[in-house]
Amino acid sequence: MNGIYLDHAATTPIHPEVVATMATFLATDFGNPSSIHSAGRQARHRLDDSRRQIAKTIGANEKELIFTSGGTEADNLAIIGTALQQQTFGKHIITTQIEHAAILDACKYLESIGFEVTYLPVNKDGIVSVDALVDALRPDTILVSVMMINNEVGSIQPIQAIGERLLSHPCCFHTDAVQAYGITDIDVNALQVDLLSITAHKINGPKGIGLLYKREQVKIKQRQFGGSQERLKRPGTENMPGIIGFEKAAVMVYGKENERSSYYHQLKALMISLLDEAAIDFTVNGAVTLTTPLILNISFKGTKVEQLLMNLDLAGVYVSSGSACTAGSIEASHVLTAMFGEKHERTTSAVRFSFGYDIDEAAIKETVRRVTEVVKRLRTLNE
Ligand SMILES: Cc1ncc(COP(=O)(O)O)c(C=O)c1O
């Protein structure tokens, strides 16, 4: 067995059926959906169709989707677009300390232009308290943003409970569902969210395409200016091959969330029990029952994360630490720091394994064999 890719929370290999669908589209369709001639009308027809299919997967109306270049742009549009639109009602925003940089840095930007942001802490399982969130609400709170599933430790946030508690407050509610889509049933009405971000490359779709769900009556300010695409909220000629690939990937996972979830549960449980048998000193970060089965974040006592990543890479096990989008910089993870405190040993010896449909039990067994060898060697070296 050669390299084992266990970094599906960073990105996933594009599914062959998605490649085939996109290749056919690229070879045959090139029209601009804004053109009125028949090539344009054909593209418009495909665009409308994809929008309808994708909207269905989150229980939304097709008019409520804004296609973006991915999760980062969707998050930025949700946070900054809402803040700028709603600022006459107040300038207070609530989020959590464990959000993706696309949220945290958008909030930092808003602070620099006069908004006030409350960053809620999380408990040792990486979960925010609904009561603490409600306590933080103020009459001038215009937006609450809490991710559905954390991308580093996989902790599942109580989105539906938050949505229910926010019904009595006029603020907007956004959730970053990038790590949840395809593994958890998502219904925007059941969740009571106003805004929700998704990206295609985490579900074996193409990179550079995602969406922001925006409830029809919610008003946000556009961040880009130009044509009238995406109901003026995101001008620019649509990324048609990306949208077609997104639709294919979305349709392939839709309705299979439970099946996918239980498959990853098996892989995760197997990996933990084999590591137990290997008798190496490790701790799972986040409670197994309260995390997504897709992500397993582990601290290996007596090792350093940079050593681990390098040696696992040499051993052909591809994993990451911290947020993939900031990989390369090995600062302590802000998520683990929020869970365990500054400079805690767990924050400097943790790696994230994340599973995909192409991973089987044999790959997990081989991973554990290689991980055990690396960890034992590093611990002897560090003694
Ligand atoms: C939770 C979360 N939000 C947002 C993003 C950014 O998405 P994209 O890479 O499509 O910009 C990521 C990517 O890792 C993520 O995990």
Side-chain angles (χ1 to χ4, degrees):
M1 196 177 288
N2 295 328
I4 308 171
Y5 183 83
L6 285 174
D7 202 11
H8 294 83
T11 196
T12 53
I14 188 158
H15 195 285
E17 288 184 39
V18 175
V19 175
T21 304
M22 288 177 75
T24 307
F25 181 81
L26 280 162
T28 53
D29 288 76
F30 63 91
N32 184 331
S34 299
S35 304
I36 52 167
H37 48 62
S38 63
R41 289 202 309 277
Q42 190 173 318
R44 163 69 52 195
H45 177 72
R46 291 296 303 268
L47 175 62
D48 291 347
D49 206 38
S50 293
R51 196 187 295 281
R52 224 173 357 257
Q53 294 294 338
I54 298 172
K56 205 169 97 185
T57 66
I58 54 169
N61 182 301
E62 67 218 62
K63 292 189 194 133
E64 299 177 308
L65 303 195
I66 303 168
F67 284 117
T68 64
S69 62
T72 300
E73 191 189 333
D75 283 347
N76 272 260
L77 182 58
I79 300 295
I80 302 173
T82 306
L84 296 183
Q85 175 70 39
Q86 310 286 339
Q87 58 185 321
T88 47
F89 302 109
K91 287 197 158 191
H92 180 236
I93 294 161
I94 300 175
T95 188
T96 78
Q97 293 175 357
I98 61 160
E99 298 297 311
H100 188 271
I103 299 290
L104 292 177
D105 288 356
C107 286
K108 295 260 152 56
Y109 165 69
L110 289 174
E111 283 181 299
S112 78
I113 58 166
F115 286 83
E116 211 186 314
V117 183
T118 300
Y119 299 92
L120 294 171
V122 290
N123 65 15
K124 291 214 167 354
D125 290 329
I127 295 173
V128 74
S129 147
V130 181
D131 288 337
L133 191 150
V134 172
D135 286 348
L137 281 171
R138 309 190 321 207
D140 63 339
T141 306
I142 49 169
L143 174 66
V144 170
S145 180
V146 178
M147 69 199 326
M148 254 183 113
I149 290 182
N150 178 264
N151 49 304
E152 291 189 32
V153 297
S155 50
I156 301 166
Q157 305 304 322
I159 299 304
Q160 191 158 352
I162 296 172
E164 274 159 25
R165 299 285 288 274
L166 289 180
L167 282 179
S168 53
H169 193 287
C171 69
C172 293
F173 181 28
H174 167 252
T175 189
D176 174 336
V178 162
Q179 296 289 345
Y181 187 64
I183 194 83
T184 312
D185 283 340
I186 295 180
D187 181 317
V188 288
N189 294 316
L191 292 173
Q192 319 263 20
V193 292
D194 300 306
L195 299 147
L196 179 141
S197 311
I198 295 176
T199 194
H201 72 100
K202 312 283 184 183
I203 55 156
N204 306 99
K207 293 171 183 52
I209 184 74
L211 65 84
L212 176 66
Y213 157 80
K214 180 184 78 62
R215 194 171 288 285
E216 205 170 355
Q217 55 274 31
V218 168
K219 295 208 169 5
I220 60 169
K221 273 233 184 319
Q222 69 195 91
R223 302 288 300 138
Q224 275 160 262
F225 300 89
S228 58
Q229 293 92 346
E230 302 304 297
R231 298 176 175 260
L232 294 166
K233 295 302 173 226
R234 207 283 191 166
T237 302
E238 296 85 350
N239 170 5
M240 285 303 296
I243 292 169
I244 296 293
F246 184 2
E247 178 202 345
K248 180 70 185 169
V251 167
M252 286 178 71
V253 294
Y254 180 54
K256 307 229 171 59
E257 292 85 356
N258 290 344
E259 197 183 303
R260 281 162 53 81
S261 179
S262 57
Y263 181 61
Y264 298 135
H265 260 301
Q266 276 173 37
L267 295 183
K268 185 166 169 171
L270 176 68
M271 184 148 172
I272 295 172
S273 79
L274 290 176
L275 284 168
D276 271 333
E277 278 171 30
I280 46 173
D281 210 346
F282 73 95
T283 329
V284 175
N285 296 315
V288 175
T289 48
L290 303 173
T291 52
T292 174
L294 202 90
I295 293 177
L296 177 57
N297 189 301
I298 297 184
S299 294
F300 293 99
K301 204 173 161 66
T303 68
K304 288 270 169 274
V305 64
E306 45 277 52
Q307 286 179 316
L308 273 170
L309 291 181
M310 205 193 307
N311 283 275
L312 286 173
D313 183 28
L314 289 172
V317 177
Y318 310 135
V319 294
S320 64
S321 73
S323 165
C325 304
T326 50
S329 65
I330 319 252
E331 302 147 10
S333 133
H334 69 286
V335 176
L336 294 173
T337 302
M339 288 163 70
F340 306 118
E342 294 279 345
K343 300 208 164 50
H344 191 286
E345 202 206 340
R346 283 217 221 172
T347 66
T348 57
S349 59
V351 286
R352 175 187 70 184
F353 300 85
S354 48
F355 310 111
Y357 79 90
D358 48 343
I359 296 298
D360 57 14
E361 291 195 354
I364 297 294
K365 286 180 186 155
E366 181 57 18
T367 299
V368 172
R369 194 189 65 73
R370 294 182 196 182
V371 168
T372 307
E373 202 178 283
V374 166
V375 170
K376 283 190 174 155
R377 182 157 38 83
L378 292 180
R379 289 202 59 182
T380 320
L381 209 71
N382 294 344
E383 264 166 22

